[in-house]
Amino acid sequence: MEIIRREGPIPFSRYMELCLYHPELGYYARPKEKFGQSGDFYTSSDVHAVFGRLLARQFEEMWRMLGSPDAVDLIEPGPGRGLFAQDVLDWAGKKFPAFAAALRYRMVESSPSLRTRLQERFTADSRVTVYAELEPAAQDCGDHLIMFGNEFFDAIPVEIISEQGELRIGESKGEFVERWTEQSRQTTDFLYRFGVNPRPGERIEAPRQANLWMERIAGAFVGRRGFALFIDYGYTREQQIAGRHRDTLMTYREHQTSPNAYEAPGEQDITAHVNFTALQQVAAAEGMVSLGLVTQSQLLLGIGYETEFADAFEGCVLPQEKVKVTLQLKHLISPDGLGESFQALVLARGVEKEVAAGLSGLSF
């Protein structure tokens, strides 16, 4: 509140940024566990290692489409505690030794506490480097690049819009209060190109900062060949026009959800659904080709089809182990679980579209 008292009402995106990324008081800076059963939310990697194993198989296929180069860099922004990276590295080493020998894994994590945790976890693995920013990570990469993000874009700050204008957060008597100001030209342009205008009594998000991130990501591919894969919950503009995915802002704390972003600032995660139409168009404007937008179910089914999901069941001995893994796999691909909630955006640069479109993850 000191910033608001000093500067006056701030954009909601600034408020969200401070809640999540303040170096001392932000949600991701706090030492409290955020992931898994003891945290605030689950990711697909928390469900079962097969998520990372299947994506390792997809990354290896991308590497072969790039000509099996001697070196390939994989950048993961927002790697969390590194569980996904560990699964990918372990499975690549076990199943795809040539790919594993070429792989250099670069993580980009803005949170100092999470960055320290990652460095400690991977201190003995020379293939892994942890960065605070994307650009230095990209500068250290070679000619072949794979970019992967799981639930990365949903945590990027958004603007909130209603028929009253654009939301600002003020303070009165020690409490956060909402103020509305005239909608900015940048937000008007964003909604005209990628979204919809709010209906009376309705709020929607304008994830303008996500577009800036996509520009930075696409910039990492300039002069390089490679693929980008982002998995998140989100929508297309057509779905918004149809009345879906409006007012998607949500908080997560101890596996409980709430639409109240002011209840425990810095102590709860804040997310919003991802505008995939905007990301696709921005990526295209920056020279990348959109290969497809599929559900997580379609992606994983395509990757696992040929091997009948042997990646999931390897190591299972007892029948009850197989039953447990079956249920975990079902949660990842079922419409009742995460399979239809999450979308996967696949992009490429410097790869023939006809060749790249043959990725197994796009076959369903």
Side-chain angles (χ1 to χ4, degrees), residues 110-153:
S110 62
S111 164
S113 62
L114 284 176
R115 203 159 55 244
T116 298
R117 186 173 176 181
L118 290 167
Q119 289 165 340
E120 292 173 349
R121 179 169 191 161
F122 295 97
T123 185
D125 195 331
S126 61
R127 298 170 296 177
V128 177
T129 311
V130 183
Y131 301 80
E133 294 287 343
L134 174 63
E135 283 73 16
Q139 288 171 6
D140 288 343
C141 292
D143 295 333
H144 302 92
L145 176 62
I146 299 172
M147 188 92 69
F148 174 77
N150 183 48
E151 296 190 58
F152 169 71
F153 280 104

Side-chain angles (χ1 to χ4, degrees), residues 70-87:
D70 293 337
V72 62
D73 294 283
L74 197 161
I75 297 180
E76 183 187 2
R81 55 182 170 166
L83 188 60
F84 174 82
Q86 191 69 71
D87 291 337

